[in-house]
Amino acid sequence: MRVTLFCDGGSRGNPGVAGSGAVLYDASGKTLAEIAYVVGKKASNNVAEYHGLLRGLEAAAELGATAVDVSMDSKLVVEQMSGRWKIKHPDMKELAVKARKLAAGFDEVTYTWVPRAKNKKADELSNVAMDAAAKDGTPRILGAPAAPAAPAAPAAPAAPAAPAVSHQTATPAHWAGTDQPRTRFILLRHGQTQHSAEQRFSGTSDPALTDTGREQARRAAEALRALGRIDAIVASPQTRAQETARAAADALELEVITEEGLREIAFGEFEGLTRDEIVAKDKDAFDQWQASPNNAPPGGESLTALHRRVSRTRLKLQERHSGQTVLVVTHMTPIKSVIRQALGANADMFKHLFLDLASISVVDFYGDYGVVRCVNDVAHHR
């Protein structure tokens, strides 16, 4: 018998209270089993995702399945179980060994990545498990609730329950009237380099992080762990962004995907110079560059050209990671461009937004509809 397994896992905080969900279907689409599993009070997203896979494979074995087609929205688990990505974290190594032993009991097991929007039921079950974990973190499979006992005598009417208090009454998608999946971009600027410390224009040049920059990247990585689930990391190919991304990748147990379209703007003949040095060298060329976003510094790139480049890159990433949360590690100007796209603002916005080193901004896109959730968060450096 061939079955299809959709599974998921999550944590509130990373690590935090964690749960997983798994759903098994037969060839006709009939639901065979639903499993909500409490992982514990303190586990990572990825560990929870592995538990979703384990509980699903166990249930498939109990049903007598001979082949299992696994669908998950965790790129990490799919790639690791398929043997294409290495497993670094010791806890995940142990869970992967268990999953492979279970998989060996079937004639065939396949692994396929699907967008989160297509894994809703497993995600719902994992949230049920996380709710239970918040009350009692004992690892367990949640059973069906017992039927309430009949009251010995009629009870007085209960007072109406107080409404749940929440800082958010509806999603931006609700207010915008869209049913498109949310793709979230967490935008991380790289840490300090010698150029940034000296206030030099740094575009195509490739300085590495300073010791301060590496510490900034480490602090940002720890802050990102607490933001919850992140599905993928993409980064500019430049050294300062790659080093910052690797700090996050180590904390999140993810691989870094390099994206050429996330390069910093090219400053041409002004590359590596301070503002004062540029003005002393060629004030007319500097003033002309600053006069319009369509103008480029001599031998460089205009803001208009960069915005077109980054817009194409964002659309490509949104299509590739639809319904997911993506960490984008890049530079000042590309991050400004993504925020501008979400706001639907004109090019003047570039002049009125500043982003600190290793700062975090968050932007959501629902199809073409963008929402800015956070800009220039640097609380992790205080």
Side-chain angles (χ1 to χ4, degrees), residues 45-59:
N45 289 318
N46 299 141
V47 165
E49 288 164 345
Y50 263 106
H51 277 288
L53 173 62
L54 286 168
R55 303 293 85 79
L57 291 174
E58 289 168 351

Side-chain angles (χ1 to χ4, degrees), residues 27-377:
S28 69
K30 176 185 175 183
T31 301
L32 300 175
E34 295 182 359
I35 307 105
Y37 178 74
V38 173
V39 175
K41 282 280 190 182
K42 192 173 183 180
S44 70
N45 289 318
N46 299 141
V47 165
E49 288 164 345
Y50 263 106
H51 277 288
L53 173 62
L54 286 168
R55 303 293 85 79
L57 291 174
E58 289 168 351
E62 289 175 4
L63 290 167
T66 56
V68 186
D69 295 318
V70 180
S71 292
M72 303 183 72
D73 58 66
S74 170
K75 183 77 169 173
L76 179 83
V77 177
V78 167
E79 294 297 320
Q80 288 180 343
M81 289 303 298
S82 299
R84 291 185 289 269
W85 286 5
K86 293 180 180 179
I87 306 174
K88 300 176 183 177
H89 196 285
D91 291 345
M92 290 165 60
K93 283 182 180 179
E94 182 180 345
L95 293 169
V97 168
K98 291 180 180 179
R100 288 191 178 113
K101 285 182 179 178
L102 284 169
F106 301 96
D107 294 340
E108 183 185 10
V109 177
T110 66
Y111 297 93
T112 302
W113 176 85
V114 295
R116 185 179 298 179
K118 293 187 177 180
N119 202 21
K120 287 184 178 179
K121 187 60 183 179
D123 179 67
E124 289 173 5
L125 289 167
S126 66
N127 275 284
V128 169
M130 282 184 272
D131 289 342
K135 299 175 183 177
D136 177 0
T138 305
R140 65 198 187 279
I141 293 175
L142 298 177
V165 178
S166 173
H167 72 285
Q168 180 174 297
T169 57
T171 66
H174 167 82
W175 295 114
T178 178
D179 60 358
Q180 294 293 308
R182 184 198 75 183
T183 304
R184 170 162 289 179
F185 293 103
I186 300 176
L187 308 166
L188 173 63
R189 188 185 174 200
H190 63 78
Q192 185 197 71
T193 68
Q194 196 61 40
H195 273 186
S196 56
E198 296 173 359
Q199 299 179 355
R200 297 184 180 277
F201 286 93
S202 190
T204 55
S205 56
D206 204 24
L209 297 181
T210 61
D211 288 343
T212 296
R214 284 187 283 274
E215 174 61 16
Q216 289 172 334
R218 186 196 66 78
R219 287 173 178 246
E222 288 304 311
L224 291 165
R225 281 170 58 91
L227 286 182
R229 176 175 178 151
I230 293 175
D231 299 291
I233 302 174
V234 297
S236 157
Q238 292 167 278
T239 298
R240 54 198 184 272
Q242 288 284 315
E243 289 182 339
T244 305
R246 282 198 291 272
D250 289 343
L252 299 170
E253 290 288 338
L254 292 171
E255 301 290 328
V256 177
I257 303 167
T258 299
E259 179 54 62
E260 287 287 334
L262 295 173
R263 284 182 173 277
E264 179 58 290
I265 194 169
F267 292 110
E269 293 180 13
F270 298 159
E271 184 68 35
L273 302 179
T274 67
R275 183 186 181 95
D276 289 343
E277 288 170 346
I278 294 170
V279 171
K281 177 182 179 179
D282 194 341
K283 185 177 186 304
D284 289 343
F286 180 77
D287 289 343
Q288 183 179 2
W289 171 39
Q290 295 292 297
S292 169
N294 297 320
N295 297 339
E301 184 180 21
S302 70
L303 280 173
T304 300
L306 171 129
H307 188 61
R308 285 197 299 265
R309 164 165 62 88
V310 176
S311 295
R312 289 193 298 267
T313 301
R314 190 269 297 175
L315 288 168
K316 179 173 69 174
L317 291 173
Q318 186 175 343
E319 181 179 2
R320 184 192 304 163
H321 299 285
S322 177
Q324 293 189 314
T325 297
V326 183
L327 173 62
V328 178
V329 187
T330 182
H331 312 266
M332 169 95 78
T333 325
I335 293 175
K336 287 184 177 183
S337 173
V338 177
I339 294 172
R340 177 188 167 189
Q341 292 167 49
L343 290 173
N346 63 30
D348 282 344
M349 194 216 72
F350 281 104
K351 297 179 180 179
H352 300 285
L353 176 63
F354 186 83
L355 301 165
D356 290 292
L357 293 162
S359 62
I360 295 171
S361 302
V362 181
V363 174
D364 293 343
F365 283 93
Y366 301 82
D368 295 332
Y369 174 62
V371 179
V372 177
R373 304 302 299 263
C374 169
V375 175
N376 199 44
D377 182 2

